[in-house]
Amino acid sequence: MRSRSYDDPNLTPPWKRSTPAPEVAAERDLVVEEVGTGFCGAVVRVEKTAEGLTVTLEDRFGKHRVFPMEPRGFLIDGKQVTLVRPQAPGPRGPLLSASGSIAVTDAKARVARAGRIYVEGKHDAELVERVWGHDLRVEGVVVEYLEGVDDLPAIVDSFSPGPDARLGVLVDHLVPGSKESRIAAAVTGANVLIVGHPYIDVWEAVKPASVGIREWPRVPRGEDWKTGICRSLGWNMTTGEAWQRILASVHTYKDLQPELLGRVEELIDFVTAP
């Protein structure tokens, strides 16, 4: 008589059967952890090889590693998953810009408006250009940056805002009772709109997951904030290099916090209003 075997999965007792891990599409920028090595990073690409599908991950230091897409081979939020190849995109709708607006592909260059948007620093200007650059060029809006919020009263006075030349300003860390809020209140008027986000620096307005980190660290009072961020994250680089890494992780408005998104949209509407 042939002995009973449990090699056939249909004959395996229920208590010995493993539950299949959920399948997750390996979309670009998805952050996962490889089970065997503990390597954590964002998906860069999926490739088909002779041995099967592989996924390339990039960790927070910019290091790339390639892993086979084996069943139950990755963790998301501590739970095992099976990465699968993303489906090919379906029929395309209207082409969208990085800000989520419908892209204008046949517009001629527009003469710059008299109105302006000022932001507090070079990094803010680069971030606004990365996400809203298309929209700003279509509308003819020029973005300039302050060296510091203390310069704002002199800039407003020199600009001489009016109904046809409105001035919008984006300020970092604009919270009640702060120096920034007092300066903003002193220069706000019918043709001057000062808005801000609550973050210490615009770096924090980028979603941590987009950068490949769990959260933005807390920096002790008295320590240079950007230097402290690099130290806490173990980034052995200058703050300039760190910013380029952060900026490179921003592809669309989805990579930014809503507290920044709403304020920039508000400024664009303000300076382009009839």
Side-chain angles (χ1 to χ4, degrees), residues 4-120:
R4 187 171 185 178
S5 171
Y6 289 113
D7 291 340
D8 184 343
N10 294 321
L11 298 178
T12 302
W15 59 87
K16 290 189 177 182
R17 297 176 191 170
S18 59
T19 303
E23 294 186 346
V24 177
E27 301 284 357
R28 183 178 178 85
D29 297 329
L30 175 70
V31 178
V32 300
E33 179 182 342
E34 202 275 329
V35 170
T37 63
F39 185 89
C40 183
V43 173
V44 175
R45 59 182 171 271
V46 172
E47 296 177 301
K48 186 176 181 180
T49 69
E51 289 75 28
L53 292 177
T54 64
V55 61
T56 301
L57 303 182
E58 180 183 27
D59 71 5
R60 65 184 185 182
F61 305 110
K63 181 180 180 181
H64 285 199
R65 288 191 63 177
V66 180
F67 298 99
M69 292 170 60
E70 297 178 344
R72 307 177 68 88
F74 300 87
L75 299 175
I76 295 180
D77 295 330
K79 299 180 180 178
Q80 280 191 315
V81 300
T82 297
L83 290 185
V84 296
R85 191 172 193 171
Q87 293 184 354
R92 295 183 61 182
L95 181 65
L96 301 181
S97 70
S99 71
S101 64
I102 296 178
V104 180
T105 58
D106 56 354
K108 295 182 179 179
R110 180 168 182 166
V111 176
R113 293 174 182 266
R116 289 285 189 278
I117 291 177
Y118 273 83
V119 297
E120 194 181 350

